[in-house]
């Protein structure tokens, strides 16, 4: 958010493509992963081969179960090592692009800035194609149907933009005015309106539930439930969005918190 705000303050547009990987954790190739671990200086990859290999899986459909099959790819989800091994697997993805690449587990995004939206779209298309080749080489696949593009900038400048088309091969990436990244809804003018509305909506529904149950729950329990179910939404990543909101939205949040 700081990076985008900094560029927008310099009167630049910022284009962003949020990559959606198909079954990212399930398609990690064991052989490629172990080679990458060796390249990082880990000399006990036999342990990882033993940990990852030999796992069986079955398919259940219409009360029928298939014969067990050996899983030749994928890292165990729900484990401590799963996300760490996936990060090691995609650690060299930045070599496939020249623009800024955000990497957070399987939530990746390409960022390009400039003064011409069409030039940004063209550059993002090239970077996306280059990134797609890297993914293919590493046996990962991009789900273009859920991959989205967004153009950030001041409202006045955005109104002048007629089109913003990012392409990957012959397919046009869906262009949106608001994206959800790491649990936050981010608007193309960085107004934070969507984030605040989402927080208020969640807090309202949970407060209504607690109000209906108030006779059955003592005061201490209500305090704990408020902290767990409601306060967490006010606190989550607040340092990234709260400084950018106006007085009107601040008042709405304060009323809801009270």
């Amino acid at each position: 958010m700081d990076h985008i705000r900094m560029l927008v303050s310099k009167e630049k547009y910022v284009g962003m493509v949020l990559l959606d990987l198909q079954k990212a954790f399930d398609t990690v190739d064991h052989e490629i992963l172990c080679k990458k671990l060796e390249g990082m200086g880990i000399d006990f990859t036999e342990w990882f081969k033993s940990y990852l290999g030999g796992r069986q899986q079955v398919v259940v459909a219409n009360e029928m179960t298939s014969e067990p099959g050996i899983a030749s790819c994928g890292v165990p989800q729900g484990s401590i090592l799963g996300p760490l091994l996936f990060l090691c697997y995609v650690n060299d993805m930045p070599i496939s692009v020249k623009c800024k690449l955000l990497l957070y587990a399987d939530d990746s995004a390409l960022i390009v800035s400039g003064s011409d939206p069409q030039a940004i779209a063209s550059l993002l298309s090239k970077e996306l194609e280059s990134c797609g080749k890297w993914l293919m080489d590493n046996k990962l696949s991009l789900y273009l149907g859920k991959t989205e593009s967004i153009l950030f900038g001041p409202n006045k400048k955005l109104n002048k933009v007629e089109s913003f088309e990012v392409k990957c091969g012959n397919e046009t990436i869906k262009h949106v005015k608001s994206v959800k990244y790491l649990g936050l809804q981010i608007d193309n003018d960085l107004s934070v309106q969507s984030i605040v509305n989402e927080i208020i909506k969640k807090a309202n529904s949970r407060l209504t539930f607690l109000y209906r149950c108030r006779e059955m729950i003592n005061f201490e329990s209500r305090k704990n439930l408020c902290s767990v179910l409601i306060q967490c939404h006010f606190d989550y990543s607040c340092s990234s969005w709260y400084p950018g909101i106006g007085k009107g939205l601040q008042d709405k949040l304060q009323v809801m918190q009270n």
Side-chain angles (χ1 to χ4, degrees):
M1 292 286 277
D2 284 343
H3 178 72
I4 295 168
R5 281 201 188 99
M6 182 80 72
L7 292 167
V8 169
S9 70
K10 294 176 181 176
E11 298 294 312
K12 290 185 177 182
Y13 293 102
V14 182
M16 183 176 178
V17 172
L18 291 94
L19 310 178
D20 189 276
L21 303 183
Q22 281 185 319
K23 303 282 183 184
F25 280 64
D26 295 331
T27 52
V28 170
D29 186 271
H30 295 165
E31 191 178 337
I32 294 174
L33 173 61
C34 287
K35 283 181 180 176
K36 290 189 179 192
L37 291 172
E38 286 169 7
M40 292 176 185
I42 295 173
D43 57 2
F44 49 91
T45 52
E46 288 302 317
W47 184 90
F48 285 100
K49 287 175 184 175
S50 172
Y51 170 69
L52 296 168
R55 292 178 181 269
Q56 292 188 330
Q57 60 184 24
V58 295
V59 176
V60 179
N62 297 326
E63 299 182 358
M64 297 287 288
T65 304
S66 70
E67 290 293 319
I70 301 294
S72 59
C73 60
V75 290
Q77 294 193 49
S79 64
I80 293 172
L81 275 179
L84 185 60
L85 288 173
F86 184 81
L87 286 174
C88 293
Y89 195 75
V90 297
N91 192 47
D92 60 327
M93 196 196 291
I95 66 171
S96 68
V97 295
K98 294 177 182 176
C99 66
K100 187 176 180 67
L101 171 66
L102 305 180
L103 277 175
Y104 188 90
D106 60 335
D107 287 315
S108 309
L110 303 170
I111 294 181
V112 170
S113 64
S115 53
D116 180 9
Q118 303 313 317
I120 293 172
S122 176
L123 188 53
L124 275 173
S125 299
K126 287 179 185 175
E127 298 288 17
L128 183 57
E129 202 156 329
S130 177
C131 188
K133 287 176 183 174
W134 181 93
L135 290 168
M136 203 178 295
D137 290 342
N138 287 271
K139 300 188 178 179
L140 295 171
S141 56
L142 193 61
Y143 185 18
L144 294 177
K146 285 190 176 178
T147 295
E148 297 175 326
S149 72
I150 185 170
L151 184 67
F152 295 102
N155 248 327
K156 286 183 181 178
K157 293 190 74 175
L158 289 173
N159 290 335
K160 297 175 185 176
V161 180
E162 293 180 5
S163 66
F164 185 74
E165 282 193 357
V166 178
K167 293 192 173 185
C168 186
N170 296 323
E171 287 202 47
T172 301
I173 303 302
K174 182 183 176 185
H175 178 62
V176 294
K177 293 186 177 181
S178 181
V179 291
K180 194 163 193 175
Y181 188 61
L182 303 183
L184 287 183
Q185 198 71 33
I186 307 170
D187 299 320
N188 60 353
D189 60 355
L190 299 175
S191 66
V192 201
Q193 180 87 36
S194 294
I195 294 175
V196 173
N197 288 343
E198 190 70 16
I199 291 169
I200 290 172
K201 182 182 172 184
K202 286 178 180 176
N204 249 327
S205 64
R206 287 157 176 76
L207 273 175
T208 303
F209 164 73
L210 288 175
Y211 182 77
R212 286 201 302 264
C213 303
R214 68 191 184 282
E215 301 299 333
M216 296 178 277
I217 309 170
N218 63 38
F219 182 70
E220 278 305 311
S221 297
R222 291 206 301 272
K223 272 175 64 178
N224 288 334
L225 286 168
C226 276
S227 177
V228 171
L229 298 176
I230 300 170
Q231 189 61 42
C232 57
H233 296 292
F234 288 96
D235 295 341
Y236 175 65
S237 192
C238 60
S239 59
S240 71
W241 55 265
Y242 189 80
I245 69 175
K247 191 175 185 308
L249 292 177
Q250 284 181 11
D251 291 344
K252 276 188 176 182
L253 282 171
Q254 190 61 57
V255 168
M256 178 52 65
Q257 198 154 27
N258 291 347

